[in-house]
Each structure stands twice: as C-alpha cells, then as structure tokens.
Amino acid sequence: MDYSLLLLIFTSAVFEKTWCLNTTESTTSTPNYSISATFSSLYTTVTVPSLVCENKGILQDGICICPDDWTGTTCNIQNFCPEQKPSHTSKFTFPKTVLGQFASSVERCPPETTNAGMHQASALCNIATHSFDSPNILNCSLTLDAINAWVSGATPEQKQNLASSTQILTSIPERLTPHNITNAAKITNILLSDQQTTQTTDIAISAVATISQLLNASHEMYSSVDHTAISELTQTLQKLSLREKPNPLLVQPKMAVQSLKGQTPIRQVQLTSFKGLNDNFLPDRIKLHITEAEVSKHIVDLQMNVTFSEDFDKDIGFVLYDNDQFFQSKSFKPSLDTKRRVISANLQENSGIDQVQFAVTPSADSTMSLNDFACVFWSYDKQDWITDGCTKNKSPSGHVVCSCKKLKNANFAILMAFDINYQYSEALHWISITGCALSVVGLSVTALYQIITRKSRGGTPTLLVVNICLSMTVFYLLFIFGINNPVQHVNGTKMSGENIVPESDHHKYSDQGPLSGTPPWFPQVAMAVGWGLPAVIVGISLGSTYRVEEPLGYRQEEFCWLASLDHKQKFNIKKPMFWGFVLPLLLMLISNTAILLHFSYKICRTNPNLNKSRKTSLTKKMMSSFSLAVMLGLSWVTGYILMITQEKNLKFILSVVFCLLNTTQGVQIFILFALRPFLNSNPAILTLCVRQK
C-alpha cells in the first residue's frame, strides 16, 4: 500500500517520541489535564513462525497483509458477504461485498427516469450474519435537490428513507458534481446534527457511508463546492464522535468515526489502524484501547496514543478522513497525485489539550524523497491550514516530529513537500560530450572540404551540405557548453528551521543559473537570421512553460534539455519535449524517410539505356542510400524506440546506442561526405595506406 507523497495526519509508521502536554493549574474548579500523547507503532519485536498467506495475502516482515475481503493471521477468515442473487426475499442482485459496507445493486434505474443508470438499491453487508440486510430501494425520480428541500421537515421514518436514498445517489464517483457534493454535504449535516435522529443507528450509518463516498470524488470537483457546507459538516462530525456510541459500522472505506465513552477514569487512550492491501478503513482494522497494546510496527498503519496526567472520565472522539478533500487549502496547492489523510481528535466541553506532539515517518516511492515539511492544524476562521503555536523537528531516525499548543477539537496535519529523485548519469554525459566534440571537428572539416572541392560537383549540393554542417555545428556547440546543469539538486531532506506551510507537495527550485547555458542574445540572433519554424517552436514552448520560479516546467533537472517526464519519471505529452521537439522531429523524420525512399528508388533503379561500363554497382548504390540516411538524421528514430521502452537494462542500452549514433552524426557525415570522396578521388593515397598496413 503506497502512502507516498502524502499530506499525512498521524499516519503509518514507527514513532519513537513520547510527547508530554502540560497545562498549568487552573484557578477554576474545573480540573485541567496534563496530557502526553504518543504516536507510535511501538518498537516491539514479535517473533512468529514462517507463515503461508492465503487468498492473495502478502507476507511482509513475517506478517500476512490481507486484502479487504479476508482477515486472520494467514488471511484465511472470510470478511465479506457472498454475492446475493434475486430470490423470494429480494428481487435485486448484490455483488460480493466487504463486511460493514454497502453493496449497490446490479439492477439500474431505467433510461426514461431522472436517475437513469443509477443503482436501484443498496444493502448493508451485516457484520454479525455475513449476509445482506433488507435492501434500501431508490425512487428513480428522486434527486438530491429534492431531498435537500425536504429533509429538514421530515419525520424520523422519512429521514431514514432519505438517508438511504442519498447514500445510493452518491455511490457512483463519476456522477459526483460540485452541486451534488454540496447538496449531499448539506443533507448529511442536517441528518447528523439532529441528536434525536442519530439515535436511529441506520440514519447515522447511511450518512457516514455517504460522506465516505463523497471523499471518492475527483479532486477537481471540490474547487467549486460550497465550502461553508463542507466546513459545517466536518464540525458536526466532531460533535458526532463525542455523542455517538461506539459502532463498527461507522467505519467506512474512506472515513471512520470512533468514540470512547467516559465511564471509568482512564490515563490513556490508544487508537490503532492496521495495514491491509487495499487503501481503505475497515471495522476490524481500527481498534481503541485504554492501555498501551504492544503490536509489531510492521502491521500498524496509523497509531495515536493519548495519555493523561490525571484521571480522565469524559468522552473522547476521533474522526479519520482518508484524504483532505474536505480541507481545501488556499495556501497549500498539491500538484502530485498524493494521498493526504486527516484525523480529528476531540474532547468534551470544559476539557482541552494544552499541547499535542505527533510524528510520522515519511513514506515515498523510489522516485520521490522528502524535501521539507510543516506542522499545521485547520483553522475554521481562516478556512486554511495554519502553523500558529506549532513547531517542528526531525529525529535522528528520520521521523518528522510536530508540537502544537493550546488546541481543542482540532484537525492536525503534517504537510510534506517532496523532491523528485533525479538520476545524473556520468557515463552518458561523457559519451555525449565526446561524440559531440568529434562531430564538431568532423562537420568543420566536411564544410571546408565541400567548399574547396565545390567545382567538382556544382554549387547547389555544396551549399546544401555546408548549411547542414553549419547548423549542426552550432547545435553541437550549444549542447557541449550548455547541456550540463551546474546546479545539481542532490536528494535528501533540506529541512528549514521555520515552520512555514509549503506552497505544494512538490518542491520546486527557482532558476539558479542561465537557462540551458544559452546566451541571452541567442533568441534574437536566431530570429534575425531567419531560422524560421524551429525558432517559432522554441518561442512557443519557452513562453508557455518556463517560469523563473518553476524552471523544471520547461527543462529537465539532470541536464539542460526540454522537460519530458512527470513526477513519476514517466513520459508526459503535456511537457514541452513532446510539442517542442518530439512531434516536430517526428514530422521531419517522416518527411526525410519519404525523401530517402524516393532517392533510394531513383538510385537503385537501373537505367536500361546505360551500357554495362557506366552502370553503378549495388554496393555504391547502398552506400549512397546510407549516406543520405545519415545526412537526413534518421538515426534519431532510436529515440522514439527508447521512449516506449520500460525495461531498465534495455533502456540503458538503447540510451547508449542513441547517444553514440546521434552525437557522432557529425563524424559520420565527415567520413561519408569528406573522407570517403577524398580517398576515392585519390586512390594512390588509399593504395599507399593499404601497402603500409
């Protein structure tokens, strides 16, 4: 399960610090509590015999990590309701579904209805019976607009029906528009705000399931929702966590509400979420303990320990969000496809937290590494993440540690900014530089030779070859002196001392050197000499993608060439490499291939009017075609093969071949268009070389 590039809230891993939150003695009769909270996955070494994981479970550090539909030590215990076919008790078909979750019927609303294509019914997979409860049936003409208008004045029985209908109408993520999300948020807020209504457990379960489904909507949809409605809903959920009795059905795939009722005085609470193969919360994977439970760090996904210096006998509530869709920041703008979890910890009135410390272990895939982070909590006044009263630190073991003071019923977060792990290849660098240098020499000699011997072949061919040599010489010189990036960004955390909210989860470096090594007068000179279309392409690519504060939108980090890869190091057609180089070069190569085929046909075709002595040998014809292919730059085709290659070793081999073929194009032109004709026209020199050998 990948939690890379996350905005993480109390997430996944091993926390070694224990935090103490001290409050001063109050002058009032209400006691204050000194709270120490440990976010830890406990450094307990658990020795277990070698296991054989069943049902596609994966053995990880001696422990079976199970898919959602199986549980147990070896993933051998059924955790689902089997598929249900239509019967005398239900006319609907429900697919195999994980315990505690809602299944949507295979049957859909007919085309002539308002909700055409929507599931006609849903049913809860009962944890106790491992079978589906009675189905909730949707009126296919009912809309979220209508439910929003009716829900406030509805009776408890009507609200139960409206809650299940809202759950069905939000069950398809692709149909969740900003308007639908806003309506559903308002409906669930009304349903959960009514304390009398939420005593009807089915209403609360349907409402929480609806909210979980809203968190499945695409990130783009939340830019236009009514954020006031979302904000009110998150505050209602905080109150619900304190009011509702513990219920495993309030754990849904993308959110969970957990509570601990204050019956006997306690000194600590431990919230633990265990790992699974699928990225979902499950009832049997979230546990609350009032003593510190020793568990292996390898099976813990999230853990929070809260301890009290004095006996605490009031309610404690937690709300876990799988992502930050409900917390749309104005200052932090994520640009990567990262997961950002949020957790809310809540105490009853007249109870408070003087200080909270929390920690996480940064988790990223091989293409990313942590650059910096900020410790924050959500401000409902500013509707944004803020750092007031929070400080940060990084432990020697690599954990990021936060401390926040004077908070109550808050949503905490650690906002992380990541770097791409760039790969600087010394071998390819020197192959390229050596090949380009040889090509410059070869092209210069070729141009000089063509000019000296121009009378033997006429002005037009000479002019053509000399201009090609000149343009390629300029290209190779710019490549040699400008391709190396003088400011290489070495991977590793570069934590700043200040606790400042990063602009994004993708750290970007402002330009710290000349762009690609090109002198500032180059664009003007290039346009002045009228190099035409290439200059237009460069101008469009540069103007549309380059920014001083974000140079990697235009160029690459490893070397100064057009940007082509996204943050996962995959080729991206939105980058300027495609529009500014790959596509124009492809069109040129197609044109040059057509020219090569045409002239090869002309060269190889035998003229019947020529006598035998004047006919050209097949070897010379093939050499002429090969020379033309080199001049037309058809070796660049290897670059397109390289782009579609995924296997690492083959990719490196093709990279070397590509560098050798294309950086030495000037050398090849020298051999074919200068050295070979010179030796052919001076056979005595060739004969002398052969004799000496």
Side-chain angles (χ1 to χ4, degrees):
M1 183 169 51
D2 185 8
Y3 289 115
S4 60
L5 321 177
L6 309 182
L7 162 103
L8 295 170
I9 314 298
F10 307 158
T11 304
S12 116
V14 183
F15 310 135
E16 65 174 7
K17 287 200 100 180
T18 298
W19 2 296
C20 295
L21 305 104
N22 300 314
T23 62
T24 57
E25 184 102 90
S26 173
T27 57
T28 66
S29 59
T30 303
N32 282 319
Y33 298 92
S34 176
I35 301 174
S36 104
T38 304
F39 278 45
S40 170
S41 48
L42 304 178
Y43 289 87
T44 302
T45 302
V46 178
T47 304
V48 294
S50 180
L51 299 177
V52 177
C53 303
E54 303 177 34
N55 300 303
K56 299 183 179 179
I58 295 178
L59 189 66
Q60 190 177 93
D61 298 313
I63 297 168
C64 288
I65 307 298
C66 303
D68 286 356
D69 50 354
W70 292 93
T71 187
T73 305
T74 60
C75 308
N76 61 330
I77 300 175
Q78 178 180 316
N79 194 48
F80 62 89
C81 295
E83 181 184 19
Q84 176 179 294
K85 297 289 187 179
S87 64
H88 65 282
T89 59
S90 172
K91 64 177 181 179
F92 298 104
T93 300
F94 293 107
K96 172 184 172 182
T97 303
V98 174
L99 295 181
Q101 296 180 14
F102 282 91
S104 298
S105 66
V106 173
E107 293 76 15
R108 307 280 181 131
C109 290
E112 65 275 7
T113 60
T114 305
N115 294 311
M118 181 59 69
H119 302 289
Q120 274 191 305
S122 71
L124 183 67
C125 177
N126 192 295
I127 294 177
T129 65
H130 284 223
S131 61
F132 291 105
D133 289 345
S134 300
N136 304 309
I137 303 174
L138 174 69
N139 179 344
C140 287
S141 299
L142 187 63
T143 65
L144 289 172
D145 285 308
I147 296 174
N148 189 31
W150 298 339
V151 67
S152 296
T155 64
E157 293 75 16
Q158 292 171 331
K159 285 184 176 180
Q160 184 167 337
N161 180 265
L162 294 177
S164 62
S165 296
T166 303
Q167 183 272 316
I168 297 172
L169 289 171
T170 56
S171 60
I172 302 178
E174 294 75 19
R175 290 199 176 194
L176 291 175
T177 64
H179 182 69
N180 289 340
I181 294 171
T182 298
N183 270 333
K186 291 179 178 178
I187 294 166
T188 51
N189 185 47
I190 292 171
L191 292 172
L192 296 176
S193 296
D194 188 341
Q195 297 190 31
Q196 182 180 0
T197 300
T198 51
Q199 290 176 0
T200 306
T201 306
D202 290 345
I203 295 178
I205 295 170
S206 295
V208 170
T210 298
I211 298 168
S212 174
Q213 291 167 176
L214 295 183
L215 292 170
N216 269 326
S218 67
H219 185 73
E220 292 73 19
M221 293 296 104
Y222 278 86
S223 60
S224 302
V225 300
D226 183 342
H227 295 293
T228 300
I230 298 294
S231 178
E232 291 174 353
L233 176 59
T234 58
Q235 293 177 78
T236 297
L237 287 169
Q238 289 180 313
K239 297 173 184 176
L240 178 72
S241 70
L242 294 170
R243 187 176 71 240
E244 196 69 18
K245 294 179 180 179
N247 188 339
L249 294 177
L250 294 182
V251 178
Q252 292 296 317
K254 299 303 176 186
M255 80 158 298
V257 177
Q258 292 287 283
S259 59
L260 184 68
K261 293 301 173 183
Q263 299 173 347
T264 58
I266 60 173
R267 287 297 183 98
Q268 82 165 24
V269 179
Q270 184 183 75
L271 172 70
T272 307
S273 176
F274 295 94
K275 285 184 181 178
L277 284 183
N278 305 98
D279 193 14
N280 295 315
F281 296 127
L282 290 182
D284 71 329
R285 292 189 193 146
I286 297 182
K287 305 294 182 184
L288 275 176
H289 301 280
I290 58 173
T291 58
E292 189 172 298
E294 293 190 355
V295 293
S296 170
K297 65 181 181 180
H298 303 300
I299 61 174
V300 172
D301 178 42
L302 177 157
Q303 191 169 81
M304 174 182 179
N305 289 345
V306 180
T307 59
F308 305 91
S309 60
E310 298 181 21
D311 288 344
F312 186 85
D313 59 359
K314 298 183 180 180
D315 297 345
I316 304 174
F318 303 95
V319 183
L320 289 80
Y321 302 90
D322 187 60
N323 56 55
D324 70 336
Q325 301 278 46
F326 288 174
F327 302 89
Q328 295 290 307
S329 174
K330 296 184 285 291
S331 56
F332 179 80
K333 297 294 183 183
S335 61
L336 306 175
D337 52 346
T338 59
K339 171 173 287 301
R340 297 173 289 276
R341 277 189 169 174
V342 179
I343 185 171
S344 171
N346 312 288
L347 302 180
Q348 277 189 329
E349 295 295 331
N350 300 322
S351 303
I353 300 175
D354 184 67
Q355 177 175 292
V356 173
Q357 288 186 340
F358 49 99
V360 299
T361 300
S363 177
D365 61 29
S366 59
T367 66
M368 306 293 290
S369 60
L370 178 67
N371 176 276
D372 203 355
F373 67 96
C375 304
V376 297
F377 64 93
W378 186 256
S379 169
Y380 282 104
D381 294 332
K382 297 181 179 180
Q383 287 294 297
D384 209 345
W385 297 112
I386 61 173
T387 60
D388 297 357
C390 295
T391 57
K392 68 178 184 180
N393 190 22
K394 191 170 187 294
S395 69
S397 59
H399 307 126
V400 292
V401 183
C402 293
S403 176
C404 299
K405 298 180 179 180
K406 297 182 180 178
L407 298 174
K408 177 178 177 253
N409 296 355
N411 302 284
F412 299 100
I414 297 179
L415 307 183
M416 297 187 183
F418 292 88
D419 273 333
I420 295 174
N421 293 332
Y422 299 105
Q423 303 297 323
Y424 301 94
S425 176
E426 280 294 313
L428 291 179
H429 169 72
W430 286 111
I431 290 174
S432 299
I433 295 299
T434 303
C436 289
L438 292 173
S439 288
V440 168
V441 175
L443 289 166
S444 302
V445 175
T446 301
L448 184 62
Y449 175 80
Q450 290 287 323
I451 293 172
I452 294 173
T453 61
R454 64 186 181 280
K455 292 182 179 179
S456 64
R457 70 182 64 80
T460 302
T462 298
L463 184 64
L464 208 60
V465 174
V466 169
N467 272 278
I468 290 175
C469 290
L470 180 61
S471 64
M472 291 187 66
T473 300
V474 173
F475 165 75
Y476 282 127
L477 287 173
L478 290 174
F479 192 92
I480 290 171
F481 293 107
I483 196 66
N484 187 44
N485 184 4
V487 185
Q488 296 186 355
H489 297 110
V490 181
N491 302 329
T493 304
K494 307 170 184 63
M495 189 184 78
S496 63
E498 295 181 290
N499 188 31
I500 301 174
V501 175
E503 295 181 358
S504 172
D505 54 354
H506 183 193
H507 179 75
K508 299 168 185 175
Y509 296 94
S510 59
D511 207 347
Q512 298 170 288
L515 174 57
S516 302
T518 306
W521 45 261
F522 178 76
Q524 291 85 348
V525 172
M527 288 186 288
V529 297
W531 282 45
L533 183 60
V536 173
I537 294 173
V538 170
I540 293 174
S541 299
L542 182 62
S544 61
T545 60
Y546 177 73
R547 300 291 182 273
V548 172
E549 64 274 9
E550 190 183 349
L552 297 187
Y554 177 72
R555 66 167 174 83
Q556 298 183 36
E557 164 64 22
E558 295 93 330
F559 45 84
C560 294
W561 189 237
L562 294 173
S564 60
L565 307 178
D566 60 16
H567 66 280
K568 291 187 175 180
Q569 304 296 345
K570 303 293 185 182
F571 186 81
N572 190 337
I573 64 171
K574 295 181 180 179
K575 296 291 185 178
M577 172 69 86
F578 179 78
W579 299 102
F581 187 77
V582 172
L583 186 59
L585 181 63
L586 178 61
L587 297 175
M588 185 194 75
L589 289 175
I590 293 173
S591 173
N592 288 354
T593 302
I595 294 172
L596 174 65
L597 294 175
H598 173 75
F599 281 98
S600 296
Y601 172 75
K602 290 286 188 181
I603 292 170
C604 295
R605 188 178 61 178
T606 303
N607 189 341
N609 297 322
L610 295 178
N611 57 42
K612 185 176 181 180
S613 62
R614 297 183 62 188
K615 290 182 179 178
T616 306
S617 67
L618 179 62
T619 302
K620 288 186 176 181
K621 291 178 179 180
M622 292 179 64
M623 184 58 70
S624 298
S625 296
F626 176 72
S627 301
L628 185 59
V630 170
M631 180 64 76
L632 294 173
L634 297 186
S635 57
W636 285 84
V637 171
T638 57
Y640 292 87
I641 301 174
L642 179 62
M643 284 194 298
I644 63 175
T645 302
Q646 300 297 325
E647 204 279 320
K648 187 175 181 180
N649 292 330
L650 179 60
K651 197 175 187 74
F652 178 76
I653 293 171
L654 288 174
S655 297
V656 174
V657 172
F658 177 81
C659 285
L660 289 174
L661 286 178
N662 295 295
T663 60
T664 61
Q665 189 179 354
V667 177
Q668 298 167 38
I669 290 175
F670 163 70
I671 294 172
L672 294 171
F673 288 90
L675 183 61
R676 189 174 67 90
F678 175 75
L679 293 177
N680 288 340
S681 61
N682 297 275
I685 296 176
L686 183 62
T687 303
L688 179 62
C689 293
V690 172
R691 287 178 178 176
Q692 287 180 346
K693 184 178 180 180

